[in-house]
Amino acid sequence: MDQKLTGRAKSLVRRAHRHLWFETYAPVLAIGILAIVLFFTCAAFGIWQRIGDPWRYIALLATLVVLAKSLLGAQRQKPPNLSAAKRRVELDNALHHRPLDTIIDKPAFSNHDGAVWTTHLSKSQKCLENATPTKLRPTLGEVDKYYLRFVAPALLVLAMMVGAGDNYERLRSALTPGWIYGISAKDTNFEAWIDPPEYTLRPPSYFKNSNRVNAPEGSRFVVRMTGIKTAPRLLIKDGLKTKRVKAKRLGPKSFEASVIVNKTAQASIRIGQMTKTWHLDVGKDAPPFIQFDEKPKAGKRDKLIFTYNLNDDFGVRELFLSVALETDPDNTDEIQVDLPGTNVRKTSKEKASLDLTKHKWAGKKVVGRLL
């Protein structure tokens, strides 16, 4: 038997088998798949976010009922087998005497007429050499008079383009259990700010006339939403990484979402076609610059007098003079130096004096530095 012809015959049968499966189950499952596509389309368009419940629940329940009915109908269908696929190939090519069975068959009796069998086998092989692949029959057209099989996918693609960047979040929200109230961008008020780390002693930085703000590493970004009963999640984009933050309810119509930011990021909240965006330019807290302006000297009443320069991007809260004996540099002692404020960012030629007359190393040579 020609292996090439056998392979061609198997290929024709497999193709016909797939067509039979589609023609058997597609008309039955079409209505269920259509219901799912329409529900997802509404989610991508933001309709469920806009109108909320109970309409979302009603649509979801209707979708599940239609899908269940379609699945039950599909269960009643008889799955097509390979024998039916062979008959389909022969029917579409007007082949008689079942050549697909003949090429793998053998004579039933040993005393058969070899010439007759050879002729019969040769005719079957020639028929298959000229056979063409089967084509799908328009079974969906019989149940879809309005071409919804084309309209629905096109609407879904359009909806996903409209909701680009937020499709997963909208679908997740549409399938999340719990009561969802409809929300509108025009009813929502936003207030956002940055809470710097406590050690900086800096007040919150609000987004007033700009949607961009500089923040030290470790700051907390906070956004408060009012005027809505259901809040979308906050989206944080850090390069290629994204993170969703759930908002915490503060009152019947107020929510707050917050997140610690350690890198430059973009925060956003989308409601319908409105996207509120905040740019967070996060920088590392560089160590403070501090040095003696001139060499320390003795003043009145033997006080140590010196001046210094100080500069820090987020401010200095405490300053110390660290001293160590020249003969024992590893043994240090720190004396606090008074600052001209509670949080000093910059000062030049700042005067300071320390009474070290009662210090344990008074009268001895020491090495000092500012910390």
Side-chain angles (χ1 to χ4, degrees):
M1 181 63 191
D2 188 353
Q3 294 296 326
K4 184 177 180 180
L5 184 61
T6 303
R8 173 175 169 74
K10 290 181 178 179
S11 176
L12 291 172
V13 172
R14 284 196 298 267
R15 179 185 174 92
H17 198 208
R18 291 194 297 268
H19 287 176
L20 286 174
W21 271 87
F22 181 84
E23 293 165 5
T24 301
Y25 292 105
V28 183
L29 295 174
I31 187 66
I33 296 174
L34 176 63
I36 294 175
V37 170
L38 290 178
F39 184 84
F40 285 1
T41 299
C42 291
F45 270 129
I47 293 177
W48 307 135
Q49 183 189 59
R50 180 67 181 87
I51 65 176
D53 292 326
W55 310 112
R56 176 185 67 107
Y57 271 129
I58 293 173
L60 181 59
L61 180 61
T63 300
L64 294 176
V65 169
V66 173
L67 179 61
K69 186 177 180 180
S70 295
L71 292 174
L72 288 175
Q75 193 176 20
R76 299 189 190 100
Q77 300 296 315
K78 182 180 179 181
N81 52 31
L82 289 178
S83 178
K86 292 178 181 179
R87 304 294 80 79
R88 173 63 177 273
V89 174
E90 294 165 352
L91 178 63
D92 284 7
N93 286 277
L95 303 179
H96 304 288
H97 309 300
R98 298 193 174 187
L100 285 168
D101 289 334
T102 301
I103 62 172
I104 60 173
D105 204 359
K106 293 181 180 180
F109 304 100
S110 58
N111 58 347
H112 68 281
D113 189 337
V116 174
W117 173 255
T118 301
T119 301
H120 178 55
L121 182 60
S122 178
K123 288 182 179 180
S124 298
Q125 292 175 349
K126 186 173 292 186
C127 288
L128 292 178
E129 288 176 355
N130 298 323
T132 58
T134 57
K135 295 182 180 180
L136 275 174
R137 293 177 180 174
T139 52
L140 283 177
E142 299 175 1
V143 296
D144 180 19
K145 304 296 184 181
Y146 301 101
Y147 302 99
L148 293 178
R149 61 191 182 278
F150 303 117
V151 175
L155 282 176
L156 178 59
V157 172
L158 177 61
M160 293 180 69
M161 293 172 62
V162 171
D166 211 40
N167 286 313
Y168 169 77
E169 182 65 12
R170 291 182 175 184
L171 180 58
R172 185 203 66 83
S173 178
L175 297 176
T176 299
W179 195 268
I180 296 177
Y181 293 94
I183 58 177
S184 173
K186 66 179 182 180
D187 299 328
T188 310
N189 298 311
F190 297 94
E191 185 180 18
W193 66 89
I194 287 287
D195 281 332
E198 290 186 9
Y199 72 86
T200 65
L201 293 180
R202 293 179 62 183
S205 299
Y206 288 86
F207 295 83
K208 294 182 179 179
N209 299 322
S210 173
N211 66 341
R212 184 180 296 273
V213 72
N214 295 322
E217 185 180 37
S219 297
R220 180 178 292 275
F221 170 73
V222 185
V223 58
R224 185 168 293 173
M225 296 165 279
T226 58
I228 53 177
K229 294 183 178 181
T230 298
R233 295 196 299 175
L234 173 67
L235 174 63
I236 302 294
K237 289 185 178 180
D238 172 11
L240 298 177
K241 297 180 181 179
T242 60
K243 178 183 179 182
R244 293 279 182 175
V245 180
K246 184 178 180 181
K248 180 177 65 174
R249 181 181 291 275
L250 301 178
K253 290 187 177 183
S254 61
F255 297 84
E256 184 177 284
S258 64
V259 62
I260 299 294
V261 289
N262 294 309
K263 294 181 180 180
T264 296
Q266 175 181 293
S268 63
I269 290 178
R270 182 171 179 177
I271 300 177
Q273 294 306 303
M274 187 279 297
T275 302
K276 192 71 174 179
T277 304
W278 300 272
H279 299 279
L280 315 174
D281 295 327
V282 179
K284 289 184 176 294
D285 185 7
F289 169 79
I290 184 169
Q291 66 177 11
F292 288 108
D293 181 60
E294 58 182 25
K295 189 176 180 180
K297 58 185 178 181
K300 295 180 179 180
R301 299 180 182 179
D302 292 329
K303 285 187 176 182
L304 181 68
I305 298 176
F306 59 91
T307 58
Y308 63 90
N309 300 321
L310 183 149
N311 189 4
D312 185 61
D313 47 1
F314 299 119
V316 173
R317 297 170 58 185
E318 292 180 323
L319 178 63
F320 294 90
L321 173 65
S322 176
V323 294
L325 291 170
E326 284 187 334
T327 57
D328 188 10
D330 294 331
N331 185 15
T332 62
D333 189 33
E334 295 178 354
I335 303 103
Q336 188 166 7
V337 179
D338 292 335
L339 287 168
T342 57
N343 190 44
V344 181
R345 293 191 186 182
K346 185 177 182 180
T347 184
S348 299
K349 299 183 181 301
E350 185 67 33
K351 295 180 180 180
S353 64
L354 295 172
D355 185 359
L356 302 179
T357 55
K358 295 182 180 181
H359 192 271
K360 60 182 179 180
W361 293 333
K364 297 181 180 180
K365 287 187 176 183
V366 296
V367 177
R369 62 192 181 99
L370 293 172
L371 299 175

